[in-house]
Amino acid sequence: MWPYATTAEAFSDVLRLSRAMSYKNALAGVPFGGGKAVIIGEARKAKTPQLFEAFGRFVDSLGGRYVTAEDVGTTTADMTNVARVTRYVRASGAHRARRAGIGAKTALGVYLGIKAASDSGSVGRI
């Protein structure tokens, strides 16, 4: 969820994000594509249960070809509203990572990246 200035800007960003996710998944050996979604809006002002339920109905219309989760500007609480209307949603619920300002999946990715670099001798031991 981001306050894009235009729909074209949001469209460009979602394509950029999905492409990056495709590469990330391929490098990690994940057998899924790089789907991403964006919601145009100011996360601190525009959130309503109805907005996330509408988003959930759209996700549901894809029949499982896309599964959403919290990311920039959204929270596990927002995903609870999405889950009212679709089963194609995942929420990490990682409260410690949230307090740190990052998502659990991001934290895990950073940790695994550091560990991999460390194991390859690229950086000092952790």
PDB file of all heavy atoms in Angstrom, residues 51-87:
ATOM      1  N   LEU A  51     -11.922  -1.699   2.404  1.00  0.00           N
ATOM      2  CA  LEU A  51     -10.891  -1.663   1.370  1.00  0.00           C
ATOM      3  C   LEU A  51     -10.201  -3.013   1.258  1.00  0.00           C
ATOM      4  O   LEU A  51     -10.048  -3.557   0.165  1.00  0.00           O
ATOM      5  CB  LEU A  51      -9.848  -0.584   1.697  1.00  0.00           C
ATOM      6  CG  LEU A  51      -8.604  -0.570   0.796  1.00  0.00           C
ATOM      7  CD1 LEU A  51      -8.956  -0.131  -0.618  1.00  0.00           C
ATOM      8  CD2 LEU A  51      -7.541   0.340   1.390  1.00  0.00           C
ATOM      9  N   PHE A  52      -9.823  -3.590   2.400  1.00  0.00           N
ATOM     10  CA  PHE A  52      -9.105  -4.860   2.360  1.00  0.00           C
ATOM     11  C   PHE A  52     -10.023  -6.024   2.010  1.00  0.00           C
ATOM     12  O   PHE A  52      -9.582  -6.994   1.396  1.00  0.00           O
ATOM     13  CB  PHE A  52      -8.333  -5.074   3.662  1.00  0.00           C
ATOM     14  CG  PHE A  52      -7.118  -4.193   3.714  1.00  0.00           C
ATOM     15  CD1 PHE A  52      -7.144  -2.998   4.399  1.00  0.00           C
ATOM     16  CD2 PHE A  52      -5.980  -4.537   3.016  1.00  0.00           C
ATOM     17  CE1 PHE A  52      -6.037  -2.158   4.412  1.00  0.00           C
ATOM     18  CE2 PHE A  52      -4.860  -3.709   3.020  1.00  0.00           C
ATOM     19  CZ  PHE A  52      -4.898  -2.511   3.720  1.00  0.00           C
ATOM     20  N   GLU A  53     -11.296  -5.927   2.337  1.00  0.00           N
ATOM     21  CA  GLU A  53     -12.240  -6.960   1.901  1.00  0.00           C
ATOM     22  C   GLU A  53     -12.418  -6.895   0.387  1.00  0.00           C
ATOM     23  O   GLU A  53     -12.484  -7.933  -0.284  1.00  0.00           O
ATOM     24  CB  GLU A  53     -13.565  -6.807   2.627  1.00  0.00           C
ATOM     25  CG  GLU A  53     -13.481  -7.210   4.091  1.00  0.00           C
ATOM     26  CD  GLU A  53     -14.727  -6.878   4.887  1.00  0.00           C
ATOM     27  OE1 GLU A  53     -15.747  -6.488   4.293  1.00  0.00           O
ATOM     28  OE2 GLU A  53     -14.674  -7.011   6.125  1.00  0.00           O
ATOM     29  N   ALA A  54     -12.468  -5.680  -0.178  1.00  0.00           N
ATOM     30  CA  ALA A  54     -12.569  -5.532  -1.640  1.00  0.00           C
ATOM     31  C   ALA A  54     -11.327  -6.107  -2.317  1.00  0.00           C
ATOM     32  O   ALA A  54     -11.430  -6.820  -3.328  1.00  0.00           O
ATOM     33  CB  ALA A  54     -12.752  -4.066  -2.011  1.00  0.00           C
ATOM     34  N   PHE A  55     -10.169  -5.817  -1.751  1.00  0.00           N
ATOM     35  CA  PHE A  55      -8.927  -6.394  -2.271  1.00  0.00           C
ATOM     36  C   PHE A  55      -8.993  -7.918  -2.186  1.00  0.00           C
ATOM     37  O   PHE A  55      -8.624  -8.619  -3.129  1.00  0.00           O
ATOM     38  CB  PHE A  55      -7.726  -5.844  -1.497  1.00  0.00           C
ATOM     39  CG  PHE A  55      -6.418  -6.472  -1.888  1.00  0.00           C
ATOM     40  CD1 PHE A  55      -5.900  -6.320  -3.163  1.00  0.00           C
ATOM     41  CD2 PHE A  55      -5.701  -7.226  -0.971  1.00  0.00           C
ATOM     42  CE1 PHE A  55      -4.689  -6.907  -3.520  1.00  0.00           C
ATOM     43  CE2 PHE A  55      -4.496  -7.811  -1.320  1.00  0.00           C
ATOM     44  CZ  PHE A  55      -3.999  -7.647  -2.601  1.00  0.00           C
ATOM     45  N   GLY A  56      -9.487  -8.433  -1.078  1.00  0.00           N
ATOM     46  CA  GLY A  56      -9.621  -9.876  -0.893  1.00  0.00           C
ATOM     47  C   GLY A  56     -10.546 -10.503  -1.923  1.00  0.00           C
ATOM     48  O   GLY A  56     -10.278 -11.602  -2.415  1.00  0.00           O
ATOM     49  N   ARG A  57     -11.629  -9.812  -2.267  1.00  0.00           N
ATOM     50  CA  ARG A  57     -12.538 -10.345  -3.296  1.00  0.00           C
ATOM     51  C   ARG A  57     -11.826 -10.434  -4.648  1.00  0.00           C
ATOM     52  O   ARG A  57     -12.009 -11.390  -5.400  1.00  0.00           O
ATOM     53  CB  ARG A  57     -13.804  -9.498  -3.392  1.00  0.00           C
ATOM     54  CG  ARG A  57     -14.772  -9.736  -2.242  1.00  0.00           C
ATOM     55  CD  ARG A  57     -16.118  -9.069  -2.458  1.00  0.00           C
ATOM     56  NE  ARG A  57     -16.034  -7.616  -2.468  1.00  0.00           N
ATOM     57  CZ  ARG A  57     -16.030  -6.848  -1.377  1.00  0.00           C
ATOM     58  NH1 ARG A  57     -16.109  -7.400  -0.169  1.00  0.00           N
ATOM     59  NH2 ARG A  57     -15.974  -5.537  -1.483  1.00  0.00           N
ATOM     60  N   PHE A  58     -10.979  -9.425  -4.937  1.00  0.00           N
ATOM     61  CA  PHE A  58     -10.219  -9.492  -6.186  1.00  0.00           C
ATOM     62  C   PHE A  58      -9.249 -10.669  -6.158  1.00  0.00           C
ATOM     63  O   PHE A  58      -9.161 -11.440  -7.122  1.00  0.00           O
ATOM     64  CB  PHE A  58      -9.468  -8.187  -6.455  1.00  0.00           C
ATOM     65  CG  PHE A  58      -8.606  -8.278  -7.674  1.00  0.00           C
ATOM     66  CD1 PHE A  58      -9.178  -8.234  -8.935  1.00  0.00           C
ATOM     67  CD2 PHE A  58      -7.238  -8.465  -7.567  1.00  0.00           C
ATOM     68  CE1 PHE A  58      -8.397  -8.366 -10.075  1.00  0.00           C
ATOM     69  CE2 PHE A  58      -6.450  -8.594  -8.700  1.00  0.00           C
ATOM     70  CZ  PHE A  58      -7.023  -8.536  -9.953  1.00  0.00           C
ATOM     71  N   VAL A  59      -8.509 -10.805  -5.069  1.00  0.00           N
ATOM     72  CA  VAL A  59      -7.574 -11.924  -4.935  1.00  0.00           C
ATOM     73  C   VAL A  59      -8.327 -13.243  -5.092  1.00  0.00           C
ATOM     74  O   VAL A  59      -7.887 -14.154  -5.795  1.00  0.00           O
ATOM     75  CB  VAL A  59      -6.823 -11.865  -3.582  1.00  0.00           C
ATOM     76  CG1 VAL A  59      -6.049 -13.147  -3.322  1.00  0.00           C
ATOM     77  CG2 VAL A  59      -5.887 -10.657  -3.545  1.00  0.00           C
ATOM     78  N   ASP A  60      -9.488 -13.347  -4.471  1.00  0.00           N
ATOM     79  CA  ASP A  60     -10.285 -14.568  -4.548  1.00  0.00           C
ATOM     80  C   ASP A  60     -10.717 -14.868  -5.982  1.00  0.00           C
ATOM     81  O   ASP A  60     -10.774 -16.033  -6.384  1.00  0.00           O
ATOM     82  CB  ASP A  60     -11.504 -14.462  -3.636  1.00  0.00           C
ATOM     83  CG  ASP A  60     -12.116 -15.807  -3.347  1.00  0.00           C
ATOM     84  OD1 ASP A  60     -11.448 -16.628  -2.685  1.00  0.00           O
ATOM     85  OD2 ASP A  60     -13.252 -16.056  -3.804  1.00  0.00           O
ATOM     86  N   SER A  61     -10.991 -13.814  -6.754  1.00  0.00           N
ATOM     87  CA  SER A  61     -11.440 -14.004  -8.143  1.00  0.00           C
ATOM     88  C   SER A  61     -10.360 -14.676  -8.996  1.00  0.00           C
ATOM     89  O   SER A  61     -10.661 -15.221 -10.056  1.00  0.00           O
ATOM     90  CB  SER A  61     -11.849 -12.669  -8.771  1.00  0.00           C
ATOM     91  OG  SER A  61     -10.708 -11.892  -9.119  1.00  0.00           O
ATOM     92  N   LEU A  62      -9.120 -14.652  -8.530  1.00  0.00           N
ATOM     93  CA  LEU A  62      -8.021 -15.281  -9.268  1.00  0.00           C
ATOM     94  C   LEU A  62      -7.927 -16.780  -9.000  1.00  0.00           C
ATOM     95  O   LEU A  62      -7.108 -17.476  -9.604  1.00  0.00           O
ATOM     96  CB  LEU A  62      -6.700 -14.592  -8.927  1.00  0.00           C
ATOM     97  CG  LEU A  62      -6.656 -13.093  -9.278  1.00  0.00           C
ATOM     98  CD1 LEU A  62      -5.372 -12.466  -8.756  1.00  0.00           C
ATOM     99  CD2 LEU A  62      -6.817 -12.874 -10.768  1.00  0.00           C
ATOM    100  N   GLY A  63      -8.746 -17.276  -8.082  1.00  0.00           N
ATOM    101  CA  GLY A  63      -8.867 -18.715  -7.856  1.00  0.00           C
ATOM    102  C   GLY A  63      -7.611 -19.414  -7.374  1.00  0.00           C
ATOM    103  O   GLY A  63      -7.411 -20.586  -7.678  1.00  0.00           O
ATOM    104  N   GLY A  64      -6.757 -18.717  -6.655  1.00  0.00           N
ATOM    105  CA  GLY A  64      -5.549 -19.350  -6.138  1.00  0.00           C
ATOM    106  C   GLY A  64      -4.311 -19.144  -6.985  1.00  0.00           C
ATOM    107  O   GLY A  64      -3.222 -19.578  -6.612  1.00  0.00           O
ATOM    108  N   ARG A  65      -4.457 -18.476  -8.128  1.00  0.00           N
ATOM    109  CA  ARG A  65      -3.277 -18.205  -8.954  1.00  0.00           C
ATOM    110  C   ARG A  65      -2.382 -17.154  -8.312  1.00  0.00           C
ATOM    111  O   ARG A  65      -1.234 -16.980  -8.711  1.00  0.00           O
ATOM    112  CB  ARG A  65      -3.707 -17.757 -10.350  1.00  0.00           C
ATOM    113  CG  ARG A  65      -4.350 -18.880 -11.154  1.00  0.00           C
ATOM    114  CD  ARG A  65      -4.666 -18.440 -12.569  1.00  0.00           C
ATOM    115  NE  ARG A  65      -5.537 -17.274 -12.597  1.00  0.00           N
ATOM    116  CZ  ARG A  65      -6.846 -17.316 -12.833  1.00  0.00           C
ATOM    117  NH1 ARG A  65      -7.432 -18.458 -13.075  1.00  0.00           N
ATOM    118  NH2 ARG A  65      -7.558 -16.214 -12.839  1.00  0.00           N
ATOM    119  N   TYR A  66      -2.917 -16.451  -7.308  1.00  0.00           N
ATOM    120  CA  TYR A  66      -2.143 -15.458  -6.557  1.00  0.00           C
ATOM    121  C   TYR A  66      -2.535 -15.579  -5.094  1.00  0.00           C
ATOM    122  O   TYR A  66      -3.715 -15.704  -4.769  1.00  0.00           O
ATOM    123  CB  TYR A  66      -2.439 -14.031  -7.067  1.00  0.00           C
ATOM    124  CG  TYR A  66      -1.728 -12.966  -6.276  1.00  0.00           C
ATOM    125  CD1 TYR A  66      -0.357 -12.778  -6.392  1.00  0.00           C
ATOM    126  CD2 TYR A  66      -2.430 -12.149  -5.391  1.00  0.00           C
ATOM    127  CE1 TYR A  66       0.303 -11.807  -5.660  1.00  0.00           C
ATOM    128  CE2 TYR A  66      -1.779 -11.179  -4.655  1.00  0.00           C
ATOM    129  CZ  TYR A  66      -0.416 -11.008  -4.795  1.00  0.00           C
ATOM    130  OH  TYR A  66       0.240 -10.052  -4.063  1.00  0.00           O
ATOM    131  N   VAL A  67      -1.534 -15.562  -4.234  1.00  0.00           N
ATOM    132  CA  VAL A  67      -1.760 -15.585  -2.791  1.00  0.00           C
ATOM    133  C   VAL A  67      -1.097 -14.334  -2.240  1.00  0.00           C
ATOM    134  O   VAL A  67       0.069 -14.059  -2.526  1.00  0.00           O
ATOM    135  CB  VAL A  67      -1.153 -16.853  -2.141  1.00  0.00           C
ATOM    136  CG1 VAL A  67      -1.345 -16.831  -0.636  1.00  0.00           C
ATOM    137  CG2 VAL A  67      -1.785 -18.104  -2.751  1.00  0.00           C
ATOM    138  N   THR A  68      -1.835 -13.569  -1.458  1.00  0.00           N
ATOM    139  CA  THR A  68      -1.308 -12.307  -0.941  1.00  0.00           C
ATOM    140  C   THR A  68      -0.854 -12.439   0.507  1.00  0.00           C
ATOM    141  O   THR A  68      -1.176 -13.422   1.186  1.00  0.00           O
ATOM    142  CB  THR A  68      -2.360 -11.182  -1.096  1.00  0.00           C
ATOM    143  OG1 THR A  68      -1.733  -9.918  -0.908  1.00  0.00           O
ATOM    144  CG2 THR A  68      -3.518 -11.354  -0.120  1.00  0.00           C
ATOM    145  N   ALA A  69      -0.111 -11.467   0.952  1.00  0.00           N
ATOM    146  CA  ALA A  69       0.377 -11.412   2.336  1.00  0.00           C
ATOM    147  C   ALA A  69       0.718  -9.963   2.661  1.00  0.00           C
ATOM    148  O   ALA A  69       0.756  -9.117   1.768  1.00  0.00           O
ATOM    149  CB  ALA A  69       1.605 -12.294   2.512  1.00  0.00           C
ATOM    150  N   GLU A  70       0.995  -9.696   3.924  1.00  0.00           N
ATOM    151  CA  GLU A  70       1.342  -8.327   4.297  1.00  0.00           C
ATOM    152  C   GLU A  70       2.693  -7.939   3.710  1.00  0.00           C
ATOM    153  O   GLU A  70       3.554  -8.783   3.491  1.00  0.00           O
ATOM    154  CB  GLU A  70       1.325  -8.136   5.816  1.00  0.00           C
ATOM    155  CG  GLU A  70       2.491  -8.731   6.552  1.00  0.00           C
ATOM    156  CD  GLU A  70       2.342 -10.195   6.902  1.00  0.00           C
ATOM    157  OE1 GLU A  70       1.419 -10.873   6.434  1.00  0.00           O
ATOM    158  OE2 GLU A  70       3.188 -10.682   7.653  1.00  0.00           O
ATOM    159  N   ASP A  71       2.825  -6.658   3.444  1.00  0.00           N
ATOM    160  CA  ASP A  71       4.052  -6.107   2.899  1.00  0.00           C
ATOM    161  C   ASP A  71       4.049  -4.618   3.219  1.00  0.00           C
ATOM    162  O   ASP A  71       3.298  -4.189   4.098  1.00  0.00           O
ATOM    163  CB  ASP A  71       4.124  -6.369   1.383  1.00  0.00           C
ATOM    164  CG  ASP A  71       5.556  -6.373   0.848  1.00  0.00           C
ATOM    165  OD1 ASP A  71       6.444  -5.806   1.503  1.00  0.00           O
ATOM    166  OD2 ASP A  71       5.785  -6.916  -0.240  1.00  0.00           O
ATOM    167  N   VAL A  72       4.810  -3.842   2.503  1.00  0.00           N
ATOM    168  CA  VAL A  72       4.931  -2.412   2.776  1.00  0.00           C
ATOM    169  C   VAL A  72       3.558  -1.753   2.892  1.00  0.00           C
ATOM    170  O   VAL A  72       2.733  -1.866   1.987  1.00  0.00           O
ATOM    171  CB  VAL A  72       5.753  -1.717   1.664  1.00  0.00           C
ATOM    172  CG1 VAL A  72       5.761  -0.210   1.847  1.00  0.00           C
ATOM    173  CG2 VAL A  72       7.161  -2.270   1.628  1.00  0.00           C
ATOM    174  N   GLY A  73       3.317  -1.118   4.019  1.00  0.00           N
ATOM    175  CA  GLY A  73       2.072  -0.389   4.227  1.00  0.00           C
ATOM    176  C   GLY A  73       0.908  -1.223   4.720  1.00  0.00           C
ATOM    177  O   GLY A  73      -0.168  -0.695   4.965  1.00  0.00           O
ATOM    178  N   THR A  74       1.088  -2.528   4.831  1.00  0.00           N
ATOM    179  CA  THR A  74       0.003  -3.377   5.330  1.00  0.00           C
ATOM    180  C   THR A  74       0.498  -4.212   6.501  1.00  0.00           C
ATOM    181  O   THR A  74       1.695  -4.380   6.696  1.00  0.00           O
ATOM    182  CB  THR A  74      -0.551  -4.303   4.224  1.00  0.00           C
ATOM    183  OG1 THR A  74       0.466  -5.206   3.794  1.00  0.00           O
ATOM    184  CG2 THR A  74      -1.079  -3.497   3.040  1.00  0.00           C
ATOM    185  N   THR A  75      -0.444  -4.736   7.253  1.00  0.00           N
ATOM    186  CA  THR A  75      -0.113  -5.490   8.465  1.00  0.00           C
ATOM    187  C   THR A  75      -0.879  -6.805   8.500  1.00  0.00           C
ATOM    188  O   THR A  75      -1.763  -7.048   7.667  1.00  0.00           O
ATOM    189  CB  THR A  75      -0.511  -4.684   9.722  1.00  0.00           C
ATOM    190  OG1 THR A  75      -1.947  -4.541   9.733  1.00  0.00           O
ATOM    191  CG2 THR A  75       0.139  -3.302   9.738  1.00  0.00           C
ATOM    192  N   THR A  76      -0.543  -7.625   9.481  1.00  0.00           N
ATOM    193  CA  THR A  76      -1.298  -8.867   9.650  1.00  0.00           C
ATOM    194  C   THR A  76      -2.753  -8.571   9.969  1.00  0.00           C
ATOM    195  O   THR A  76      -3.637  -9.336   9.580  1.00  0.00           O
ATOM    196  CB  THR A  76      -0.681  -9.747  10.747  1.00  0.00           C
ATOM    197  OG1 THR A  76      -0.572  -9.003  11.947  1.00  0.00           O
ATOM    198  CG2 THR A  76       0.693 -10.251  10.331  1.00  0.00           C
ATOM    199  N   ALA A  77      -3.031  -7.473  10.660  1.00  0.00           N
ATOM    200  CA  ALA A  77      -4.425  -7.089  10.931  1.00  0.00           C
ATOM    201  C   ALA A  77      -5.164  -6.797   9.628  1.00  0.00           C
ATOM    202  O   ALA A  77      -6.337  -7.171   9.474  1.00  0.00           O
ATOM    203  CB  ALA A  77      -4.469  -5.877  11.863  1.00  0.00           C
ATOM    204  N   ASP A  78      -4.501  -6.146   8.675  1.00  0.00           N
ATOM    205  CA  ASP A  78      -5.115  -5.898   7.368  1.00  0.00           C
ATOM    206  C   ASP A  78      -5.417  -7.213   6.662  1.00  0.00           C
ATOM    207  O   ASP A  78      -6.463  -7.376   6.029  1.00  0.00           O
ATOM    208  CB  ASP A  78      -4.199  -5.040   6.492  1.00  0.00           C
ATOM    209  CG  ASP A  78      -3.923  -3.675   7.091  1.00  0.00           C
ATOM    210  OD1 ASP A  78      -4.822  -3.102   7.746  1.00  0.00           O
ATOM    211  OD2 ASP A  78      -2.785  -3.187   6.898  1.00  0.00           O
ATOM    212  N   MET A  79      -4.496  -8.169   6.785  1.00  0.00           N
ATOM    213  CA  MET A  79      -4.696  -9.468   6.140  1.00  0.00           C
ATOM    214  C   MET A  79      -5.853 -10.231   6.783  1.00  0.00           C
ATOM    215  O   MET A  79      -6.503 -11.039   6.123  1.00  0.00           O
ATOM    216  CB  MET A  79      -3.415 -10.288   6.163  1.00  0.00           C
ATOM    217  CG  MET A  79      -2.279  -9.700   5.334  1.00  0.00           C
ATOM    218  SD  MET A  79      -2.689  -9.380   3.593  1.00  0.00           S
ATOM    219  CE  MET A  79      -2.761  -7.578   3.583  1.00  0.00           C
ATOM    220  N   THR A  80      -6.139  -9.949   8.038  1.00  0.00           N
ATOM    221  CA  THR A  80      -7.314 -10.547   8.675  1.00  0.00           C
ATOM    222  C   THR A  80      -8.579 -10.100   7.958  1.00  0.00           C
ATOM    223  O   THR A  80      -9.498 -10.896   7.730  1.00  0.00           O
ATOM    224  CB  THR A  80      -7.373 -10.158  10.168  1.00  0.00           C
ATOM    225  OG1 THR A  80      -6.210 -10.680  10.808  1.00  0.00           O
ATOM    226  CG2 THR A  80      -8.618 -10.707  10.837  1.00  0.00           C
ATOM    227  N   ASN A  81      -8.627  -8.840   7.547  1.00  0.00           N
ATOM    228  CA  ASN A  81      -9.780  -8.348   6.786  1.00  0.00           C
ATOM    229  C   ASN A  81      -9.837  -8.978   5.394  1.00  0.00           C
ATOM    230  O   ASN A  81     -10.915  -9.308   4.908  1.00  0.00           O
ATOM    231  CB  ASN A  81      -9.732  -6.824   6.681  1.00  0.00           C
ATOM    232  CG  ASN A  81     -10.002  -6.162   8.009  1.00  0.00           C
ATOM    233  OD1 ASN A  81     -10.874  -6.582   8.760  1.00  0.00           O
ATOM    234  ND2 ASN A  81      -9.236  -5.138   8.324  1.00  0.00           N
ATOM    235  N   VAL A  82      -8.684  -9.166   4.767  1.00  0.00           N
ATOM    236  CA  VAL A  82      -8.639  -9.846   3.466  1.00  0.00           C
ATOM    237  C   VAL A  82      -9.157 -11.272   3.622  1.00  0.00           C
ATOM    238  O   VAL A  82      -9.942 -11.765   2.803  1.00  0.00           O
ATOM    239  CB  VAL A  82      -7.203  -9.836   2.889  1.00  0.00           C
ATOM    240  CG1 VAL A  82      -7.106 -10.697   1.641  1.00  0.00           C
ATOM    241  CG2 VAL A  82      -6.748  -8.411   2.603  1.00  0.00           C
ATOM    242  N   ALA A  83      -8.746 -11.933   4.699  1.00  0.00           N
ATOM    243  CA  ALA A  83      -9.107 -13.342   4.931  1.00  0.00           C
ATOM    244  C   ALA A  83     -10.591 -13.542   5.185  1.00  0.00           C
ATOM    245  O   ALA A  83     -11.073 -14.672   5.107  1.00  0.00           O
ATOM    246  CB  ALA A  83      -8.294 -13.896   6.095  1.00  0.00           C
ATOM    247  N   ARG A  84     -11.325 -12.488   5.440  1.00  0.00           N
ATOM    248  CA  ARG A  84     -12.782 -12.617   5.617  1.00  0.00           C
ATOM    249  C   ARG A  84     -13.471 -13.039   4.325  1.00  0.00           C
ATOM    250  O   ARG A  84     -14.569 -13.581   4.357  1.00  0.00           O
ATOM    251  CB  ARG A  84     -13.377 -11.300   6.106  1.00  0.00           C
ATOM    252  CG  ARG A  84     -13.029 -10.983   7.523  1.00  0.00           C
ATOM    253  CD  ARG A  84     -13.749  -9.734   7.999  1.00  0.00           C
ATOM    254  NE  ARG A  84     -13.341  -9.460   9.359  1.00  0.00           N
ATOM    255  CZ  ARG A  84     -13.046  -8.266   9.825  1.00  0.00           C
ATOM    256  NH1 ARG A  84     -13.139  -7.211   9.031  1.00  0.00           N
ATOM    257  NH2 ARG A  84     -12.676  -8.113  11.071  1.00  0.00           N
ATOM    258  N   VAL A  85     -12.797 -12.758   3.188  1.00  0.00           N
ATOM    259  CA  VAL A  85     -13.444 -13.016   1.902  1.00  0.00           C
ATOM    260  C   VAL A  85     -12.656 -13.945   0.977  1.00  0.00           C
ATOM    261  O   VAL A  85     -13.142 -14.275  -0.103  1.00  0.00           O
ATOM    262  CB  VAL A  85     -13.775 -11.696   1.170  1.00  0.00           C
ATOM    263  CG1 VAL A  85     -14.799 -10.890   1.952  1.00  0.00           C
ATOM    264  CG2 VAL A  85     -12.523 -10.867   0.930  1.00  0.00           C
ATOM    265  N   THR A  86     -11.456 -14.327   1.369  1.00  0.00           N
ATOM    266  CA  THR A  86     -10.679 -15.261   0.550  1.00  0.00           C
ATOM    267  C   THR A  86      -9.776 -16.110   1.429  1.00  0.00           C
ATOM    268  O   THR A  86      -9.334 -15.669   2.482  1.00  0.00           O
ATOM    269  CB  THR A  86      -9.821 -14.530  -0.513  1.00  0.00           C
ATOM    270  OG1 THR A  86      -9.210 -15.515  -1.354  1.00  0.00           O
ATOM    271  CG2 THR A  86      -8.763 -13.643   0.105  1.00  0.00           C
ATOM    272  N   ARG A  87      -9.516 -17.302   0.952  1.00  0.00           N
ATOM    273  CA  ARG A  87      -8.565 -18.172   1.650  1.00  0.00           C
ATOM    274  C   ARG A  87      -7.160 -18.003   1.092  1.00  0.00           C
ATOM    275  O   ARG A  87      -6.207 -18.576   1.608  1.00  0.00           O
ATOM    276  CB  ARG A  87      -9.010 -19.625   1.560  1.00  0.00           C
ATOM    277  CG  ARG A  87      -9.006 -20.152   0.148  1.00  0.00           C
ATOM    278  CD  ARG A  87      -9.554 -21.547   0.081  1.00  0.00           C
ATOM    279  NE  ARG A  87      -9.644 -21.965  -1.301  1.00  0.00           N
ATOM    280  CZ  ARG A  87      -9.635 -23.205  -1.699  1.00  0.00           C
ATOM    281  NH1 ARG A  87      -9.561 -24.180  -0.812  1.00  0.00           N
ATOM    282  NH2 ARG A  87      -9.719 -23.499  -2.962  1.00  0.00           N
TER     283      ARG A  87
END
